[in-house]
Amino acid sequence: MSETSPSDTPETPGGAGFDEMTRDIAEVPAVEVIVTVAVNLMSAAAVKLGLTEEGDKYKDLDEARKLVTALAGLLDASATEISSFHAAPLRDGLKSLQLAFREASVVPDEPGQGPGEKYTGPVYG
């Protein structure tokens, strides 16, 4: 039985798998990385808002608030870096999530105080 050092594992810097991942990521355009992260945030927020087939099983509005705010911040910060071709549908998805959050809240936030609204401005239902 041979022992492996932590640096030999694929997840750590210096491991063979990590070097391969680095090469793969190096070939991906920044816009694609930004859009992928945004879509992942949107998907996670939808789950936490109870918008999936499982409904309320994974619903957690505190977690949803964090994800929607992170998505809004990412889109705000990257607006000039990604084209409107990519940004427009992401902004539409963000607004839908913000509205879903407002509808799911027992006590809705004041306009301008909801998740991500410091980046997008008030969202009205």
Side-chain angles (χ1 to χ4, degrees):
M1 184 169 170
S2 67
E3 288 187 37
T4 60
S5 71
S7 65
D8 293 336
T9 61
E11 301 85 28
T12 59
F18 185 82
D19 292 340
E20 187 175 316
M21 283 183 357
T22 301
R23 277 193 302 277
D24 291 345
I25 282 250
E27 296 172 9
V28 178
V31 170
E32 192 172 324
V33 173
I34 293 167
V35 170
T36 299
V37 170
V39 169
N40 285 331
L41 287 167
M42 290 175 78
S43 298
V47 169
K48 296 297 184 178
L49 285 167
L51 302 177
T52 61
E53 289 180 11
E54 292 87 7
D56 289 344
K57 182 177 179 181
Y58 300 109
K59 189 173 183 178
D60 183 333
L61 294 183
D62 184 51
E63 291 289 300
R65 177 183 295 277
K66 294 170 188 170
L67 292 162
V68 172
T69 300
L71 174 61
L74 174 64
L75 295 181
D76 183 56
S78 63
T80 58
E81 305 300 328
I82 61 177
S83 67
S84 59
F85 174 79
H86 295 291
L90 294 172
R91 282 192 299 265
D92 290 344
L94 170 60
K95 184 174 181 179
S96 294
L97 291 169
Q98 288 171 312
L99 289 171
F101 186 93
R102 187 169 294 285
E103 290 173 12
S105 297
V106 176
V107 179
D109 296 314
E110 292 293 321
Q113 302 302 309
E117 291 183 16
K118 70 179 177 181
Y119 301 108
T120 64
V123 174
Y124 300 97

